[in-house]
Amino acid sequence: MSIKCMKCNRDAIIFQKYSGMHICKRHFIEDVERKVKLTIRKQYKIEKGDIIAVALSGGKDSVVLLYLLHKIFGMRRDIEIVALTIDEGIAGYREETLEKARKLTSELGIRHIVRSFKDEYDKTLDELTAQERELGACSYCGVLRKSLMNKIANEIGATKLATGHNLDDEAQTIMMNHLGGDVDRMIRLSPPRAIEGLVLRAKPLRKVPEKEVALYAIVNELPFDMSECPYAHEALRGEVRDMINEFEVRHPGTKYSIMRGFDKTVGLIAKEYPQAELSKCRVCGETCTAKLCQACKLLGRS
Ligand code: SF4
Ligand code: ZN
């Protein structure tokens, strides 16, 4: 006999250990959408005239994010959604995800901007990491992608830049910053403030567990790519992920409590902690905290 949904009598498709609920497809979809709408309302206040740039890699998180934002705001004529995809130049990986990203934006009728590291920085990520270097591929990739995303978002007049970070990503990042004692980064994770030159970041999926994002993509038959980036072996994040997942099994709700505790305290820490002065990078003009931005530093520009 199949297990029934605790809200209606249909067959359950998931057991949420943290809530103690078995739920069916319809109630699962409702639950994910409720969490996302609540996060947007409480933290990101989408308003009339907003242009929401959505970072779309073609993986499950960004695909679900774009689909949901389109579902929630697609009918609003006073809000525009634009998808941004960065082609870092990772052979055998990015081509596949790009194809999924293109499929989704054409199905939803969403404007889609694709830009590459090669055009922007004259080198692909593969070429950058083939040279002698001190840092891992993800450090280059993360810094350069973030910088390029912000640049494009500014160019199109975006008022928000949404990314697909889910609950697992957020809990891992919070723990990594704790383990590293990195208060600066912790504060940067806090709810966004308006800063000239930096488009406001929004993470509407931050209250949805990773597994549920994947299930949401599957039940809605969204096109997404499941392959893993060949550089994806950032050691510390993997260790932290395994540790949190083990805790979650033994103590359901751990991921939510890590986030709740962080959300409650970060505002207080930020008040006490001196804010870094912002300036413009002397090479590329991007907003940053030093004379040279991180991206230009990594590229050896001066
Ligand atoms: Fe970039 Fe690292 Fe993510 Fe690959 S795993 S896309 S190199 S940040
Ligand atoms: Zn720069």
Side-chain angles (χ1 to χ4, degrees):
M1 201 184 74
S2 56
I3 297 173
K4 298 292 176 195
C5 174
M6 290 165 83
K7 295 190 177 186
C8 66
N9 214 19
R10 293 189 194 88
D11 289 348
I13 61 162
I14 180 175
F15 175 53
Q16 290 175 329
K17 225 173 167 188
Y18 59 84
S19 70
M21 300 279 284
H22 290 280
I23 41 179
C24 67
K25 179 177 165 184
R26 192 186 119 205
H27 284 108
F28 166 70
I29 290 175
E30 254 180 42
D31 188 56
V32 170
E33 293 177 1
R34 181 186 57 80
K35 283 172 181 153
V36 172
K37 284 179 189 163
L38 192 70
T39 307
I40 292 174
R41 198 163 57 235
K42 280 197 155 174
Q43 296 194 299
Y44 305 122
K45 303 205 176 22
I46 306 288
E47 302 162 331
K48 187 176 178 207
D50 263 334
I51 299 176
I52 311 172
V54 182
L56 177 69
S57 69
K60 65 178 188 323
D61 302 294
S62 63
V63 159
V64 166
L65 174 66
L66 186 67
Y67 173 83
L68 268 171
L69 288 177
H70 179 259
K71 188 167 179 182
I72 299 169
F73 298 110
M75 298 299 283
R76 295 262 309 254
R77 291 178 160 251
D78 55 349
I79 289 172
E80 193 191 352
I81 297 173
V82 183
L84 312 183
T85 302
I86 306 293
D87 178 359
E88 301 91 345
I90 304 173
Y93 168 65
R94 194 42 95 208
E95 298 89 342
E96 301 283 317
T97 59
L98 245 174
E99 194 195 310
K100 295 291 192 299
R102 288 209 165 95
K103 185 163 190 280
L104 184 69
T105 49
S106 80
E107 273 174 24
L108 300 177
I110 287 174
R111 184 175 154 208
H112 187 196
I113 298 172
V114 182
R115 295 264 282 270
S116 70
F117 278 10
K118 183 79 181 173
D119 289 344
E120 204 67 27
Y121 305 123
D122 221 27
K123 280 199 169 83
T124 64
L125 185 69
D126 288 339
E127 287 165 354
L128 278 166
T129 51
Q131 21 183 81
E132 210 174 305
R133 60 190 163 98
E134 288 166 31
L135 300 164
C138 296
S139 302
Y140 286 86
C141 184
V143 167
L144 298 180
R145 182 171 358 94
K146 217 168 176 179
S147 171
L148 185 50
M149 280 280 177
N150 190 65
K151 186 177 168 195
I152 307 169
N154 269 320
E155 282 170 10
I156 62 168
T159 47
K160 305 271 185 329
L161 174 53
T163 57
H165 294 92
N166 58 47
L167 175 65
D168 294 52
D169 297 325
E170 285 283 271
Q172 287 157 18
T173 307
I174 293 166
M175 276 318 277
M176 283 166 68
N177 291 339
H178 275 297
L179 294 172
D182 200 336
V183 182
D184 272 328
R185 274 177 192 258
M186 253 182 244
I187 293 171
R188 270 188 261 142
L189 254 192
S190 64
R193 300 170 286 133
I195 299 174
E196 209 208 313
L198 290 180
V199 180
L200 271 183
R201 301 246 158 188
K203 292 181 271 193
L205 302 184
R206 72 192 291 270
K207 291 206 169 78
V208 186
E210 181 168 18
K211 267 190 199 157
E212 296 189 23
V213 175
L215 184 58
Y216 186 91
I218 292 165
V219 298
N220 285 289
E221 296 176 17
L222 302 180
F224 68 97
D225 192 77
M226 289 201 292
S227 51
E228 205 180 43
C229 172
Y231 297 113
H233 43 64
E234 209 185 320
L236 182 60
R237 183 172 289 272
E239 279 177 48
V240 170
R241 181 192 55 217
D242 294 346
M243 176 185 79
I244 297 176
N245 283 344
E246 277 171 34
F247 258 81
E248 182 71 35
V249 171
R250 277 181 276 129
H251 311 282
T254 296
K255 290 171 191 172
Y256 280 113
S257 45
I258 293 173
M259 178 183 284
R260 230 181 1 255
F262 171 80
D263 285 354
K264 277 187 192 153
T265 50
V266 71
L268 299 171
I269 305 170
K271 262 188 215 154
E272 294 295 316
Y273 208 74
Q275 301 286 331
E277 294 259 339
L278 290 171
S279 56
K280 300 272 177 206
C281 172
R282 67 162 186 260
V283 176
C284 71
E286 279 289 293
T287 301
C288 60
T289 54
K291 288 190 180 125
L292 206 59
C293 75
Q294 283 285 90
C296 287
K297 232 183 264 172
L298 280 182
L299 292 165
R301 293 167 164 174
S302 59

